[in-house]
């Protein structure tokens, strides 16, 4: 009949409170550094989780099957931990000291309408926000240097993307199937655009490629059925545009 849990074990890798249908309240202590696998999996009445700053590891399946609607994530540097496939999740706060966002962080969370990525973040993991279908705009902070593979794949309502000049590479499938995206200006610092990076962006009508791009991989704009023209900067040493078509020099 467990209804409330206060968890303060500093570094425990085997403790599980899975499948407590009565559990509603979970508090994770500020000194906790590791959250075990299957920690509170299968606890459907737990709706809110706060991940404190010192957490450096989140085990597989730690939160699978809970009724998550609100997430406050403050872990400064945690390379693991996914809150993917929560259809009920609507509110997400990322702390102002967080340095990295794990791979698959919010993948498949279709009800999250907005995400504020703080300026402290310097790394966003692959597929971190893929299939967040309610997301309409995103600002990537200038502390980030790479948009990794599939980061925003399938964000079908994403219309407005700000990519800072600090970004040097756009990974495979990074913005694929963002079907509401109408235009994209790739920043001057980018040197490579990955395979399938913008494939399936059926509303994309124009693209501007800057001077520094030296590699455009296969299928980058595959299936962009509304794409009318691509403009390449005059000083680009690898590519040019001829009547709106990209040519390799």
């Amino acid at each position: 009949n467990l209804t409330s849990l206060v968890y303060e074990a500093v570094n425990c890798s085997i403790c599980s409170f899975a499948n407590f249908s009565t559990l509603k309240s979970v508090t994770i202590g500020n000194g906790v550094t590791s959250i075990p696998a299957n920690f509170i999996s299968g606890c459907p009445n737990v709706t809110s989780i706060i991940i404190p700053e010192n957490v450096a590891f989140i085990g597989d399946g730690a939160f699978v099957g809970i009724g998550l609607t609100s997430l406050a994530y403050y872990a400064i540097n945690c390379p693991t931990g996914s809150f993917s496939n929560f259809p009920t999740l609507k509110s997400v706060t990322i702390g102002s000291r967080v340095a990295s966002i794990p791979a698959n962080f919010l993948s498949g969370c279709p009800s999250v309408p907005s995400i504020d990525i703080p300026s402290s973040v310097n790394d966003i993991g692959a597929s971190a926000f893929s299939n967040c279908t309610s997301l309409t705009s995103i600002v990537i902070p200038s502390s980030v240097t790479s948009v990794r593979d599939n980061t925003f794949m399938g964000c079908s309502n994403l219309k407005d993307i700000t990519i800072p000049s600090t970004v040097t590479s756009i990974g495979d499938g990074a913005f694929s199937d963002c079907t509401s995206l109408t235009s994209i200006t790739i920043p001057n610092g980018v040197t490579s655009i990955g395979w399938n990076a913008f494939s399936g962006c059926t509303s994309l009508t124009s693209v501007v490629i800057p001077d520094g791009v030296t590699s455009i991989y296969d299928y980058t704009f595959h299936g962009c059925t509304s794409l009318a023209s691509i403009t390449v900067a005059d000083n680009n040493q690898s590519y040019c545009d001829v009547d709106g078509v990209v040519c390799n020099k």
Side-chain angles (χ1 to χ4, degrees):
N1 293 320
L2 184 67
T3 60
S4 179
L5 170 66
V6 177
Y7 184 80
E8 295 182 337
V10 173
N11 191 5
C12 179
S13 60
I14 59 173
C15 193
S16 172
F17 298 89
N19 302 315
F20 278 97
S21 60
T22 54
L23 183 62
K24 294 182 178 180
S25 173
V26 176
T27 301
I28 300 172
N30 290 331
V32 172
T33 59
S34 176
I35 296 175
N38 304 308
F39 176 53
I40 52 170
S41 64
C43 297
N45 290 310
V46 177
T47 60
S48 177
I49 289 293
I50 298 174
I51 306 297
E53 287 190 351
N54 290 319
V55 171
F57 174 81
I58 300 175
D60 292 341
F63 303 103
V64 169
I66 70 173
L68 190 64
T69 62
S70 175
L71 169 66
Y73 186 85
Y74 296 102
I76 292 174
N77 194 1
C78 183
T80 61
S82 168
F83 296 89
S84 60
N85 301 314
F86 279 103
T88 55
L89 181 60
K90 294 183 178 180
S91 174
V92 176
T93 300
I94 300 175
S96 60
R97 297 181 64 198
V98 172
S100 63
I101 295 174
N104 301 303
F105 180 55
L106 297 178
S107 175
C109 293
S111 300
V112 177
S114 63
I115 299 164
D116 184 9
I117 304 174
S119 59
S120 57
V121 170
N122 54 50
D123 184 64
I124 302 174
S127 299
F129 304 109
S130 64
N131 297 307
C132 288
T133 53
S134 292
L135 191 64
T136 59
S137 66
I138 197 76
V139 176
I140 300 171
S142 59
S143 48
V144 172
T145 59
S146 175
V147 181
R148 297 191 182 275
D149 295 353
N150 305 320
T151 301
F152 299 100
M153 178 185 70
C155 293
S156 55
N157 281 301
L158 188 60
K159 297 178 181 179
D160 185 17
I161 301 169
T162 300
I163 305 175
S165 59
T166 52
V167 168
T168 59
S169 65
I170 297 174
D172 296 347
F175 299 100
S176 62
D177 297 321
C178 290
T179 54
S180 296
L181 187 64
T182 59
S183 64
I184 188 75
T185 299
I186 298 166
N188 289 330
V190 170
T191 59
S192 67
I193 304 173
W195 180 82
N196 262 345
F198 297 97
S199 67
C201 293
T202 53
S203 296
L204 191 63
T205 60
S206 63
V207 174
V208 177
I209 296 175
D211 293 344
V213 172
T214 57
S215 299
I216 300 175
Y217 288 88
D218 293 348
Y219 300 101
T220 296
F221 301 105
H222 177 71
C224 294
T225 52
S226 298
L227 187 58
S229 66
I230 301 177
T231 302
V232 181
D234 291 339
N235 293 325
N236 190 293
Q237 299 299 304
S238 300
Y239 300 96
C240 65
D241 65 88
V242 179
D243 296 330
V245 178
V246 173
C247 298
N248 188 320
K249 287 184 177 180

